[in-house]
Amino acid sequence: LQPESVPHEDAIFNVSRSALLIAALIQSPELLFAATEDRLHQNYRASAMPETDALIQVLRANGFAAVVSGAGPSILVLCGDPAQRIQAAEIVAQHA
Protein backbone atom coordinates (compact mmCIF):
# COMPACT_ATOMS: atom_id res chain seq x y z
CA LEU A 1 0.00 0.00 0.00
CA GLN A 2 1.12 3.51 -0.77
CA PRO A 3 1.82 5.73 2.24
CA GLU A 4 0.00 9.03 2.79
CA SER A 5 3.28 10.91 2.33
CA VAL A 6 6.80 10.13 1.11
CA PRO A 7 10.21 11.55 1.96
CA HIS A 8 11.07 14.66 -0.05
CA GLU A 9 14.33 13.03 -1.22
CA ASP A 10 12.46 10.04 -2.64
CA ALA A 11 10.06 12.28 -4.56
CA ILE A 12 12.97 14.25 -6.04
CA PHE A 13 14.76 11.01 -6.90
CA ASN A 14 11.77 9.70 -8.85
CA VAL A 15 11.21 12.98 -10.71
CA SER A 16 14.87 12.94 -11.76
CA ARG A 17 14.46 9.36 -13.00
CA SER A 18 11.52 10.44 -15.16
CA ALA A 19 13.72 12.96 -16.95
CA LEU A 20 16.53 10.42 -17.23
CA LEU A 21 14.14 7.85 -18.73
CA ILE A 22 13.28 10.24 -21.56
CA ALA A 23 16.98 10.68 -22.35
CA ALA A 24 17.53 6.91 -22.17
CA LEU A 25 14.65 6.15 -24.51
CA ILE A 26 15.55 8.84 -27.03
CA GLN A 27 19.32 8.67 -27.24
CA SER A 28 21.15 6.84 -24.45
CA PRO A 29 19.90 3.29 -23.85
CA GLU A 30 22.85 2.65 -21.56
CA LEU A 31 20.97 4.80 -19.02
CA LEU A 32 17.89 2.54 -18.95
CA PHE A 33 18.91 0.69 -15.79
CA ALA A 34 19.50 3.86 -13.77
CA ALA A 35 16.44 5.51 -15.29
CA THR A 36 14.17 2.72 -14.06
CA GLU A 37 15.23 2.92 -10.42
CA ASP A 38 12.27 3.68 -8.21
CA ARG A 39 11.80 4.82 -4.63
CA LEU A 40 8.06 5.48 -4.60
CA HIS A 41 5.98 2.73 -6.11
CA GLN A 42 7.58 -0.65 -6.45
CA ASN A 43 8.88 -1.18 -2.94
CA TYR A 44 5.52 -0.26 -1.43
CA ARG A 45 3.71 -2.65 -3.74
CA ALA A 46 6.19 -5.53 -3.50
CA SER A 47 4.39 -7.34 -0.68
CA ALA A 48 1.21 -7.48 -2.77
CA MET A 49 3.09 -9.16 -5.65
CA PRO A 50 5.94 -11.21 -4.10
CA GLU A 51 6.56 -13.35 -7.19
CA THR A 52 6.65 -10.31 -9.44
CA ASP A 53 8.99 -8.52 -7.06
CA ALA A 54 11.30 -11.54 -6.85
CA LEU A 55 11.56 -11.77 -10.63
CA ILE A 56 12.23 -8.04 -10.94
CA GLN A 57 14.99 -8.36 -8.34
CA VAL A 58 16.58 -11.26 -10.29
CA LEU A 59 16.38 -9.36 -13.58
CA ARG A 60 17.83 -6.18 -12.04
CA ALA A 61 20.59 -8.18 -10.33
CA ASN A 62 21.51 -9.36 -13.84
CA GLY A 63 21.64 -5.79 -15.14
CA PHE A 64 18.22 -5.55 -16.80
CA ALA A 65 16.01 -2.47 -16.57
CA ALA A 66 13.00 -4.34 -15.18
CA VAL A 67 9.98 -2.66 -13.58
CA VAL A 68 6.39 -3.42 -12.60
CA SER A 69 4.24 -2.65 -15.61
CA GLY A 70 1.00 -0.83 -14.99
CA ALA A 71 -0.87 -2.07 -11.94
CA GLY A 72 1.09 -5.33 -12.08
CA PRO A 73 1.78 -8.16 -11.90
CA SER A 74 3.16 -7.69 -15.43
CA ILE A 75 6.84 -6.87 -15.79
CA LEU A 76 8.39 -4.56 -18.37
CA VAL A 77 12.03 -5.08 -19.34
CA LEU A 78 13.65 -2.33 -21.42
CA CYS A 79 16.70 -3.33 -23.46
CA GLY A 80 18.95 -1.36 -25.76
CA ASP A 81 20.31 -4.44 -27.53
CA PRO A 82 18.21 -7.18 -29.18
CA ALA A 83 20.49 -9.87 -27.70
CA GLN A 84 19.54 -8.65 -24.23
CA ARG A 85 15.89 -9.45 -24.95
CA ILE A 86 16.81 -13.10 -25.43
CA GLN A 87 18.84 -13.13 -22.22
CA ALA A 88 16.00 -11.53 -20.25
CA ALA A 89 13.49 -14.01 -21.70
CA GLU A 90 15.74 -16.89 -20.64
CA ILE A 91 15.89 -15.57 -17.07
CA VAL A 92 12.11 -15.20 -17.00
CA ALA A 93 11.67 -18.75 -18.34
CA GLN A 94 13.95 -20.11 -15.60
CA HIS A 95 11.78 -18.49 -12.92
CA ALA A 96 8.36 -19.30 -14.39
Side-chain angles (χ1 to χ4, degrees), residues 7-67:
H8 187 75
E9 296 81 19
D10 290 349
I12 291 171
F13 180 88
N14 267 45
V15 169
S16 72
R17 291 309 187 237
S18 297
L20 187 61
L21 182 58
I22 292 168
L25 292 171
I26 292 172
Q27 66 187 12
S28 303
E30 70 276 7
L31 299 175
L32 286 169
F33 188 85
T36 55
E37 293 176 318
D38 173 76
R39 291 189 186 169
L40 294 182
H41 306 285
Q42 294 188 110
N43 289 338
Y44 295 119
R45 297 168 57 198
S47 63
M49 299 178 281
E51 293 174 359
T52 299
D53 181 58
L55 183 52
I56 288 172
Q57 297 307 320
V58 168
L59 286 161
R60 290 191 71 80
N62 283 278
F64 293 99
V67 298

Side-chain angles (χ1 to χ4, degrees), residues 32-34 36 42 50-69 73-79 83-96:
L32 286 169
F33 188 85
T36 55
Q42 294 188 110
E51 293 174 359
T52 299
D53 181 58
L55 183 52
I56 288 172
Q57 297 307 320
V58 168
L59 286 161
R60 290 191 71 80
N62 283 278
F64 293 99
V67 298
V68 171
S69 179
S74 299
I75 296 172
L76 172 67
V77 180
L78 300 170
C79 301
Q84 290 177 315
R85 290 186 283 220
I86 295 168
Q87 295 168 339
E90 289 171 350
I91 291 172
V92 170
Q94 291 171 359
H95 291 85

